[in-house]
Amino acid sequence: MLNLFFDTYYVASRELKKYFRQKARIVVSFIQPLVWLVLMGNTMSRLTSTGNGSQLFGTSNYLSFMTPGIILMTVMMTSIFSGISIVWDRRIGFLDKLLAAPIKRGAIPFGKMLASAVQGLIQASIIIVIALLLGVRFQTGILGVLLIFLIGAMIAFVFGGISLALASKITTMENLQAIINMLTMPLIFSSSAMFPIQAMPHWLQIIARLNPLTYAVNIMRNLVISGWQTNIIYNILILLVIDFIVMLLVNRVFEKAVSE
Amino acid sequence: MFEKAIVVKHLKKIYNSNKVEAVKDVSFDVDQGEIFGFLGPNGAGKSTTIKTLIGLLNPTQGEIFINGLDALKNRNEVRMMIGYSSQALSVDDKLTAYENIYLQGEFYHLNKLEIEKRSKEILTMFELWEKRNDLVESFSGGMMKRLDLAEALIHQPKILFLDEPTLGLDIQTRHTIWEYIRQLRSEYQMTIFLTTHYLEEADELCDRVAIIDHGQILVIDKPSVLKSQIGGDIITMVFQNSQPEIQSFLKKLEGLKQIKNINSLPNGVYQITVKTKGDELIPQLFHQAEKNKINIESVRLKRPTLDDVYLFYTGETIRDTEGSAEGTRGQRMNMAKLRR
């Protein structure tokens, strides 16, 4: 168990060393959320300016509504590509080298998931700074902001895991990329990241309830807009369960994929 | 240690994914401190065998013992005893050389001090210590290969498994790598198992060679024995004397017990097939010629190469077989890296 913990850390440290070295990539990954917040925030702000609208969105400030959605979208879009690194490692032979070493098998995907969680945390924090500069206020204060970081990391962990499970099976870069691209848009629009769940048709509401993003958005929106509420705990628990299930799934799929 | 370094009994591997029987029934053993080579064309089952030995693949049947330990039951103990360098340049080119080797030390659960001490020792040996803080992407193919070999040694393995150690390297780098391999054996008493499809590599490096094709071992022996089995050395000579003088001289030569037969080739060239050692016969030939007042214009000794042995056993030259699309892509990328 202790070994699994250390091995996971070693694998994660490799990914993070490389992540921090790619300065350009880090900068670029914040341009998109910035564009979303500034452009969407301005053009869509009328949605919440009417009485009906502000009731539906829960706030009269559209940016406050959008910030959690943008954080999660950014985190998800990055983490869901973390499977690519396994395809790459397989291609350059690094995966064989890892597997020849006496490390726990599960540590390989877990390490990459952990790295993607740390990246999620960093992204969440930078978007929060941008949102603060744009005038968004967080009802739950510093503690709420810290919790938002954590939720960002948990979501990155989930989608990193799903991506790695896919990459264990799909060994060509092109196919994996196509499948991931196909997944991202439906995942975003079938969650409450962009629109309140109450505004969705019934069938979409059902799908939204199966989407991990919905739970994360709900927590974050409470933290930003409405303050501390008991359903935050309920949503966090669900997210924890999802994280755990994804870990079990990845472990199994990866283990099977590498034991020929 | 008296146990054999590697003992393999009736190894068989059928891939689950495509039902290909890559290794049919392979048995062999390797002594401590031996350099043992697996020689065969692409797709012969070399990489499958090596991957099964180091635990990347599970055999369908058969037994593997590494230093006397049942490798299938003691995977982690065996992993600590062996080092592996694959035919790909499996180094992370976005990290520095030192970061690469340090990470490898962590994967083998060495402590910080051990890693620092060992990395310095090995990187110095492979002449990479000065470059340790450079990103690997700035390295040449030969340097990457050296780093890859260095990494395989971080945990002081007893047995080193090298899959095509000089694939795609230029001839100079190849010789350097051979030197390192010999050094590892002489300085650290390491046992080395390598696969290759370069005949001269097997000839140059290996104490014993197994020729493998279609998943089966065709023959195992010392390169010199293999070569002498398929026929002796050949000496070709040209003389300056008249035809009758030469003929009577050759008659006398045929009486020598080392000589198998003498053929007359066009342009006055005579081909002498020798039973055993041609180099030891040449002085005798000169001696006889002098006694019979025969002037030798030229003499040439040709020994059978491992090429001839290989052809004899596999019935064909090194061939290429088709691989998986992803495998081919990986190889192409590897080649691109090496040509830098």
Side-chain angles (χ1 to χ4, degrees):
Chain A
M1 196 59 196
L2 199 63
N3 267 346
L4 177 66
F5 191 77
F6 280 119
D7 293 342
T8 302
Y9 166 75
Y10 299 142
V11 174
S13 75
R14 167 177 171 235
E15 300 297 328
L16 288 172
K17 263 185 200 132
K18 293 201 283 186
Y19 174 74
F20 287 120
R21 209 156 270 165
Q22 294 171 290
K23 302 251 159 35
R25 192 182 132 198
I26 300 177
V27 171
V28 166
S29 72
F30 294 111
I31 290 177
Q32 205 187 7
L34 192 67
V35 170
W36 271 100
L37 280 174
V38 175
L39 280 183
M40 287 288 278
N42 277 325
T43 47
M44 305 291 271
S45 62
R46 271 199 223 129
L47 272 178
T48 52
S49 60
T50 63
N52 248 348
S54 65
Q55 207 186 351
L56 189 61
F57 284 88
T59 174
S60 58
N61 183 351
Y62 182 72
L63 270 186
S64 300
F65 176 84
M66 270 308 283
T67 304
I70 299 293
I71 292 174
L72 288 169
M73 205 177 80
T74 311
V75 166
M76 188 270 273
M77 293 267 238
T78 318
S79 61
I80 204 162
F81 279 97
S82 66
I84 297 282
S85 74
I86 271 202
V87 177
W88 193 251
D89 280 353
R90 189 183 282 123
R91 190 177 285 184
I92 66 167
F94 204 93
L95 187 62
D96 273 354
K97 193 146 89 177
L98 284 172
L99 293 170
I103 64 169
K104 296 268 181 234
R105 295 295 175 261
I108 297 168
F110 293 166
K112 287 174 189 279
M113 283 160 79
L114 181 65
S116 115
V118 173
Q119 290 167 25
L121 202 119
I122 294 165
Q123 286 176 323
S125 57
I126 295 190
I127 297 170
I128 286 173
V129 171
I130 297 172
L132 279 170
L133 293 176
L134 291 172
V136 175
R137 292 294 165 259
F138 295 80
Q139 291 295 321
T140 48
I142 189 80
L143 210 61
V145 169
L146 288 178
L147 202 51
I148 291 177
F149 290 171
L150 205 66
I151 306 297
M154 282 166 86
I155 275 296
F157 201 71
V158 169
F159 286 103
I162 291 172
S163 174
L164 287 159
L166 283 172
S168 305
K169 288 264 169 205
I170 301 158
T171 52
T172 42
M173 197 78 84
E174 292 78 4
N175 289 349
L176 184 66
Q177 246 157 0
I179 289 175
I180 290 173
N181 280 328
M182 191 190 76
L183 285 177
T184 51
M185 278 296 139
L187 273 168
I188 292 168
F189 287 103
S190 72
S191 77
S192 47
M194 297 289 160
F195 308 104
I197 202 162
Q198 291 83 353
M200 292 176 183
H202 185 64
W203 60 270
L204 194 55
Q205 287 191 19
I206 296 172
I207 297 174
R209 295 209 187 283
L210 296 171
N211 189 339
L213 282 176
T214 303
Y215 298 94
V217 172
N218 289 349
I219 305 169
M220 285 195 187
R221 227 159 250 162
N222 276 330
L223 292 171
V224 179
I225 301 169
S226 27
W228 296 105
Q229 282 178 352
T230 44
N231 70 355
I232 292 179
I233 297 167
Y234 161 77
N235 281 317
I236 287 180
L237 282 178
I238 289 185
L239 218 48
L240 277 174
V241 170
I242 295 173
D243 269 317
F244 189 67
I245 292 172
V246 168
M247 275 177 83
L248 290 181
L249 172 90
V250 171
N251 191 33
R252 216 185 133 69
V253 174
F254 181 76
E255 178 99 47
K256 243 190 120 186
V258 296
S259 61
E260 161 65 82
Chain B
M1 252 194 267
F2 298 103
E3 293 122 352
K4 297 265 185 191
I6 307 169
V7 176
V8 174
K9 290 180 186 164
H10 305 292
L11 187 71
K12 180 176 176 163
K13 175 66 189 173
I14 303 173
Y15 282 101
N16 294 324
S17 49
N18 52 10
K19 304 287 170 228
V20 167
E21 194 176 22
V23 175
K24 279 175 187 145
D25 180 12
V26 162
S27 301
F28 65 94
D29 48 46
V30 179
D31 287 322
Q32 298 287 346
E34 191 177 11
I35 301 182
F36 186 87
F38 246 40
L39 178 66
N42 292 331
K46 300 185 304 270
S47 287
T48 305
T49 307
I50 213 169
K51 284 185 175 175
T52 315
L53 294 183
I54 62 166
L56 290 183
L57 293 172
N58 295 314
T60 312
Q61 262 172 43
E63 291 176 290
I64 301 164
F65 297 91
I66 303 285
N67 275 341
L69 268 181
D70 186 335
L72 303 176
K73 292 187 183 130
N74 307 281
R75 280 294 192 205
N76 272 348
E77 284 92 326
V78 168
R79 285 195 172 104
M80 288 305 290
M81 286 178 191
I82 62 177
Y84 167 61
S85 163
S86 73
Q87 50 180 285
L89 290 173
S90 50
V91 285
D92 194 326
D93 54 5
K94 301 282 181 234
L95 296 176
T96 67
Y98 195 71
E99 284 168 339
N100 263 292
I101 200 164
Y102 199 93
L103 199 60
Q104 187 75 359
E106 290 179 324
F107 290 148
Y108 281 86
H109 304 136
L110 308 179
N111 66 44
K112 196 171 179 297
L113 283 174
E114 276 176 305
I115 300 177
E116 281 166 3
K117 188 172 155 277
R118 285 288 296 162
S119 335
K120 181 163 185 192
E121 190 185 328
I122 313 169
L123 288 180
T124 309
M125 174 182 168
F126 283 89
E127 290 161 79
L128 289 169
W129 180 246
E130 305 295 318
K131 298 262 181 195
R132 66 186 180 281
N133 292 324
D134 292 1
L135 282 184
V136 173
E137 62 186 0
S138 70
F139 279 18
S140 69
M143 285 164 83
M144 284 189 197
K145 190 70 216 180
R146 266 146 58 198
L147 177 61
D148 197 40
L149 283 178
E151 280 183 41
L153 301 169
I154 189 74
H155 57 293
Q156 294 178 286
K158 298 260 183 298
I159 308 173
L160 193 58
F161 289 87
L162 306 173
D163 199 357
E164 301 275 3
T166 63
L167 184 72
L169 296 174
D170 61 74
I171 198 74
Q172 232 172 342
T173 317
R174 182 176 297 173
H175 279 278
T176 324
I177 300 285
W178 288 350
E179 248 347 282
Y180 284 128
I181 294 174
R182 285 198 201 93
Q183 202 181 340
L184 288 174
R185 194 250 296 265
S186 60
E187 279 182 29
Y188 302 95
Q189 288 78 47
M190 223 175 260
T191 306
I192 291 153
F193 178 99
L194 60 90
T195 70
T196 183
H197 66 237
Y198 294 124
L199 295 149
E200 72 274 25
E201 181 159 288
D203 203 2
E204 182 83 14
L205 269 182
C206 299
D207 300 318
R208 281 189 310 147
V209 172
I211 295 182
I212 179 169
D213 198 14
H214 301 296
Q216 277 171 316
I217 290 182
L218 304 172
V219 63
I220 305 179
D221 220 319
K222 295 184 179 121
S224 58
V225 174
L226 289 175
K227 283 185 283 190
S228 69
Q229 267 172 5
I230 62 151
D233 298 352
I234 289 165
I235 299 172
T236 45
M237 300 183 90
V238 179
F239 305 101
Q240 292 173 333
N241 301 61
S242 66
Q243 201 58 28
E245 283 173 323
I246 295 171
Q247 287 305 331
S248 72
F249 173 61
L250 292 176
K251 280 250 157 56
K252 282 177 189 148
L253 284 186
E254 272 170 350
L256 289 172
K257 61 177 191 316
Q258 296 100 316
I259 291 179
K260 213 188 241 171
N261 62 53
I262 301 173
N263 286 332
S264 170
L265 301 181
N267 302 326
V269 180
Y270 294 91
Q271 192 183 51
I272 306 169
T273 309
V274 187
K275 277 177 190 149
T276 51
K277 292 177 174 168
D279 49 349
E280 286 171 18
L281 183 70
I282 290 175
Q284 279 202 52
L285 290 177
F286 275 84
H287 184 69
Q288 291 290 337
E290 205 173 346
K291 245 175 38 185
N292 292 288
K293 301 208 163 45
I294 296 282
N295 293 321
I296 299 172
E297 189 179 296
S298 75
V299 68
R300 209 180 75 177
L301 174 68
K302 183 182 176 289
R303 325 194 86 158
T305 62
L306 211 46
D307 254 298
D308 304 311
V309 179
Y310 187 82
L311 276 170
F312 178 78
Y313 281 103
T314 64
E316 48 200 317
T317 45
I318 291 277
R319 83 188 92 94
D320 285 315
T321 48
E322 55 195 276
S324 68
E326 186 59 23
T328 314
R329 225 177 247 131
Q331 264 170 22
R332 281 215 313 253
M333 212 172 66
N334 213 11
M335 288 298 172
K337 271 196 226 164
L338 285 165
R339 291 209 184 100
R340 276 213 309 246

